[in-house]
Amino acid sequence: MTTKAYDKDNPFAKILRGELPSHKLYEDDDTLAIMDIMPRGDGHCLVLPKKPARNLLDVDTDSLAAVMRTVQKVARATMKAFDAEGVTVQQFNEPAGGQVVFHLHVHILPRFEGVALRPHTGEMADQNVLAEQAGKIRAALDDAS
């Protein structure tokens, strides 16, 4: 278990409270799926638990199970929405593990044979492009229900 405290003012906590905007894809009682604003590929999105958790090391098992159910649902929808050949699912813990925002989140990236991920530059994507991609994923989610 991590010894570092959860920061209630991290960007994902603010999104969950409605204090920062996001391109929402899916929401249920336990999770929220949104577009990554600094995508490494088209359709790059994130799944967050609604309960505060710094990362995998301190999340409760019920919340983690809910996150993984949503990851599977959204991964299937992103593959359909982008006619992807595969999907990469990533999750980082603590700075040494590559974590930058300290609220548990899982990355979902639709993938194509021979197409590398873009580098993480820290630059935000065009909001209109993200909105268009979010619409495609939401449509694929609607088709699956």
Side-chain angles (χ1 to χ4, degrees):
M1 185 192 252
T2 184
T3 58
K4 296 187 178 165
Y6 177 79
D7 173 12
K8 65 180 180 52
D9 289 320
N10 74 73
F12 295 149
K14 289 180 177 183
I15 287 170
L16 288 164
R17 291 192 302 263
E19 296 169 9
L20 285 177
S22 67
H23 295 278
K24 290 182 184 181
L25 304 171
Y26 173 82
E27 185 171 12
D28 60 26
D29 290 342
D30 302 306
T31 64
L32 175 67
I34 61 175
M35 296 302 294
D36 191 312
I37 61 170
M38 295 179 225
R40 298 199 55 212
D42 291 348
H44 182 171
C45 51
L46 306 169
V47 175
L48 323 168
K50 288 187 173 177
K51 281 177 139 180
R54 182 176 169 92
N55 54 41
L56 183 71
L57 304 172
D58 68 350
V59 66
D60 69 77
T61 55
D62 290 340
S63 192
L64 182 59
V67 165
M68 292 314 293
R69 279 191 299 274
T70 300
V71 165
Q72 183 181 53
K73 180 185 302 245
V74 174
R76 288 174 173 162
T78 60
M79 284 192 64
K80 180 179 179 183
F82 291 89
D83 199 25
E85 299 167 328
V87 64
T88 294
V89 176
Q90 296 178 317
Q91 196 278 316
F92 306 97
N93 300 281
E94 296 301 326
Q99 187 176 13
V100 177
V101 178
F102 297 95
H103 181 104
L104 175 65
H105 58 287
V106 178
H107 297 258
I108 301 168
L109 301 108
R111 299 300 301 276
F112 305 89
E113 199 66 46
V115 178
L117 293 176
R118 295 190 291 262
H120 182 46
T121 63
E123 292 183 28
M124 284 197 210
D126 181 290
Q127 294 300 307
N128 293 324
V129 171
L130 291 179
E132 179 186 328
Q133 291 178 3
K136 290 170 85 169
I137 297 170
R138 283 192 297 267
L141 281 163
D142 288 345
D143 287 348
S145 34

